[in-house]
Amino acid sequence: MSESSGPAHRPSAVAGPWSVPVLFRERRPRVVVKADLLPAVSVLGTLTLLSFPLAFAWSRLAPPERVRIVDADGTQGALELESWHRFDDLAIFGFLLLGLGIVVGVVVWLLRERRGPVVFLAAVLGVALAGALAMLLGVGWANSHYAISSPPALGSVIELAPRLESWWVLLTGPLGVSIAYSLLATWNGRDDLGRRLG
């Protein structure tokens, strides 16, 4: 006589996540690419136009460097502490670009239905491009603003146009966008970043 078989072995109802039916698993939102491409191009183009006011503001705010004409052939001699303005010119441009990046990061975040990496990357590239164009335009406008119409006399003090001597300053704009957008995304805490209005 065979041993009486007990009740059939059934898997525990509280098994691991592999026992959860697929229909009831939470579906994580995916990155939207196609729908965000046209808005991303619009963001990129709009931000490029910001290079004009940025360049104009820098060309008027950046201080010139004053030098003295020490020879009849136009040789320039540095005045005390005036060479510091070369750093001032760079710092002013960096702070302007950083502020622009922070404002752009917040404004792009407010485009609720387009939140995500596609528009974020467009904002980063747009601010970087705007900064590069503003750097070229600003130096040109500053040169025309401080142009010397006639040869300076011996012993006179002239003002040299502001200049930007490092391209590394262009990193401040994308940094501002990244900081602002990342902080807002972290504070939001939703998987879809709140894209769905419902």
Side-chain angles (χ1 to χ4, degrees), residues 27-45:
R27 299 181 66 182
R28 302 179 74 85
R30 296 182 178 180
V31 175
V32 180
V33 177
K34 283 187 177 180
D36 287 352
L37 281 179
L38 186 57
V41 173
S42 300
V43 168
L44 183 63

Side-chain angles (χ1 to χ4, degrees), residues 121-197:
L121 289 176
V124 169
L125 291 176
V127 170
L129 184 58
L133 291 175
M135 195 171 187
L136 298 174
L137 288 172
V139 171
W141 288 347
N143 287 334
S144 63
H145 184 65
Y146 290 97
I148 300 174
S149 56
S150 58
L154 180 63
S156 62
V157 175
I158 62 173
E159 293 182 337
L160 300 180
R163 55 190 184 271
L164 297 170
E165 299 177 330
S166 174
W167 286 88
W168 287 103
V169 71
L170 295 179
L171 295 178
T172 57
L175 177 65
V177 176
S178 302
I179 290 174
Y181 205 92
S182 300
L183 288 177
L184 290 170
T186 305
W187 172 74
N188 179 266
R190 296 184 179 181
D191 289 338
D192 66 344
L193 299 179
R195 284 175 67 108
R196 292 191 297 266
L197 299 179

Side-chain angles (χ1 to χ4, degrees), residues 56-74:
F56 182 80
W58 176 81
S59 67
R60 294 303 183 264
L61 291 175
E65 179 183 357
R66 297 189 306 163
V67 295
R68 185 182 303 276
I69 304 299
V70 296
D71 200 350
D73 61 357

